[in-house]
Amino acid sequence: MGDSGQGVDRAVAGADFVEWNFSIMAGGSPWRIEQGMTQLLAHQGAEGFGPSLAVAAREDALVIHELGRRETPTAVAALRAFQAMSPVDTQRELARLHAERLVRQGVPDPSWASRIGRVRMEGCWWAHDLFDETAFVLCAFSYGGADEHGILALIDLAIGGGLFRELTLGTDVEVLRDVLRRADGLDGLVTEPLDPAYARRLFVDAVATSDEVLEDREYQPKPVPVAYRKMRALTLARARALSAVAAPPEPLPDSVEVELMKRAFLASAAASKLPAGDMTSRAVDLLVAQFTDRAACHPLRLGPRQVAAAVGLPDLAPDAVDDADVSRILPDVARAWVCWTAAERSLSRDATERLEQAAEQACARLRPAGTDGHQTT
């Protein structure tokens, strides 16, 4: 049998399985349907194994098409669940079109069809550090006061657009809020209300980064929560419920802004001990390019882990820089740049010390073997 025939068989089997599940869940509440559908969309067995996310999405598309061919109440129920919960925009729309066509043909809608996914946001809070490298994000929801639940995420914002480190679903929101209350003041964390549009961006960006890490075979072990796939669809659905649109990401500086920053830095006290001339200018260009192009972080708003990651990139290693003079001065330029950004941001003494310590440790790796301390002349 060819690949197309096998695909049809898999779609039929998948649709049969989904319909069987909805024959059991048919009388459930919208909240119970959402939980069940999230598990189905995870495509993950009890052992934690499943196909890649790309393969799972293709299989879901085939199942939606197959369900659209079936004039049964369970097929419509499954389509309504896909419409509310699928992580793929086009699949949600396709499921809606199929479901509405079947309803027009006389197949009944499930009793919960008009209410699934229509949750009310009850609150949004976060605890974040001074550098916004680590964030605990809590968003609470309910169905008009019933079936209250919350999603609590620990997001590592120093990696890409953010990476989920922990992801928890709870039905006692006060217990989850206690986690944030206890975090307040711990390691410099500040707890406060969070703009829902910004929360949506944090969730969506963290899903995108976590998906990339999950699918990359080079990451072993996988640095994402064990429950990630089983909560992925629900997390995205709740992100959509937070706000009509996500807050836009802060743009990285353009070439004009970078040049102005560079001039301000070179004229600052932090750069006063660096050699004057083209060598230092080229070192600054190389350093800032690593922050913006490779590490995708704003060169002014740096945190300790971002500094360590960006300065530790292979492109800045002594044997990777094709100009020996630039390579020699680069550690001092990097340290001076980080000190300058702390002053520009008016960071507290403690925050400044943490940032400078991270810079010193990172720059030590850039110094040629056998050298120590500053290399300025």
Side-chain angles (χ1 to χ4, degrees):
M1 180 180 291
D3 290 342
S4 60
Q6 292 177 357
V8 170
D9 287 347
R10 286 197 299 271
V12 170
D16 288 345
F17 179 70
V18 171
E19 278 206 83
W20 175 77
N21 274 273
F22 275 88
S23 69
I24 298 172
M25 296 191 293
S29 67
W31 172 225
R32 293 301 180 191
I33 298 296
E34 285 187 273
Q35 290 177 284
M37 191 61 186
T38 297
Q39 302 303 306
L40 290 174
L41 288 167
H43 289 264
Q44 192 174 49
E47 300 80 9
F49 298 107
S52 72
L53 295 175
V55 170
R58 288 196 295 271
E59 291 179 354
D60 288 337
L62 294 173
V63 168
I64 290 171
H65 278 293
E66 175 61 26
L67 289 170
R69 297 158 54 90
R70 302 183 176 191
E71 298 182 2
T72 63
T74 48
V76 173
L79 288 168
R80 290 303 192 192
F82 272 112
Q83 176 186 341
M85 301 299 296
S86 173
V88 182
D89 294 347
T90 54
Q91 290 186 8
R92 293 197 302 276
E93 178 63 10
L94 179 63
R96 182 188 68 81
L97 292 173
H98 278 310
E100 291 182 354
R101 176 179 51 77
L102 291 174
V103 170
R104 287 195 302 270
Q105 293 173 357
V107 184
D109 246 341
S111 60
W112 42 259
S114 63
R115 294 180 293 129
I116 184 172
R118 299 182 183 276
V119 292
R120 182 177 72 196
M121 187 196 69
E122 301 292 352
C124 208
W125 310 267
W126 73 329
H128 59 104
D129 67 339
L130 296 173
F131 305 102
D132 284 347
E133 289 190 321
T134 300
F136 289 87
V137 179
L138 171 61
C139 296
F141 309 87
S142 76
Y143 277 90
D147 291 322
E148 188 177 48
H149 56 280
I151 293 178
L152 176 63
L154 170 57
I155 304 176
D156 186 345
L157 296 174
I159 299 178
L163 178 71
F164 284 121
R165 294 299 191 186
E166 297 292 342
L167 197 55
T168 301
L169 172 66
T171 54
D172 190 333
V173 174
E174 279 306 304
V175 171
L176 299 179
R177 290 204 67 183
D178 281 341
V179 175
L180 290 192
R181 295 187 186 104
R182 291 196 299 270
D184 191 49
L186 183 66
D187 293 330
L189 291 173
V190 177
T191 302
E192 56 190 357
L194 178 61
D195 173 37
Y198 187 59
R200 174 171 176 168
R201 189 186 110 198
L202 290 176
F203 278 142
V204 170
D205 287 354
V207 167
T209 303
S210 299
D211 283 356
E212 183 178 350
V213 168
L214 187 67
E215 301 288 79
D216 193 333
R217 295 183 179 180
E218 292 183 3
Y219 285 93
Q220 296 290 341
K222 298 298 183 186
V224 293
V226 173
Y228 174 66
R229 283 186 68 143
K230 291 185 177 181
M231 282 191 61
R232 181 173 174 267
L234 180 63
T235 301
L236 282 172
R238 290 299 176 264
R240 295 192 295 272
L242 284 170
S243 172
V245 294
E250 181 182 20
L252 293 176
D254 59 26
S255 58
V256 174
E257 293 172 311
V258 168
E259 182 61 26
L260 291 174
M261 275 189 280
K262 176 182 172 182
R263 292 182 183 183
F265 165 68
L266 292 174
S268 70
S272 61
K273 294 184 180 180
L274 297 173
D278 184 59
M279 176 176 62
T280 297
S281 178
R282 284 182 285 129
V284 173
D285 290 339
L286 178 60
L287 177 69
V288 173
Q290 298 307 296
F291 286 129
T292 57
D293 299 342
R294 297 295 305 279
C297 58
H298 197 291
L300 261 182
R301 286 176 275 283
L302 302 170
R305 287 188 292 131
Q306 289 173 319
V307 169
V311 176
L313 288 169
D315 290 353
L316 296 184
D319 58 353
V321 179
D322 57 9
D323 188 316
D325 290 334
V326 171
S327 178
R328 179 174 58 82
I329 197 65
L330 190 57
D332 296 323
V333 170
R335 187 179 185 282
W337 179 275
V338 171
C339 293
W340 173 70
T341 64
E344 287 290 297
R345 296 162 65 188
S346 300
L347 293 180
S348 67
R349 180 177 178 180
D350 177 65
T352 298
E353 289 177 353
R354 288 172 57 192
L355 200 58
E356 291 180 350
Q357 183 180 23
E360 190 63 48
Q361 292 174 347
C363 290
R365 297 193 295 271
L366 295 181
R367 301 189 190 281
T371 64
D372 186 28
H374 300 296
Q375 302 297 309
T376 55
T377 59

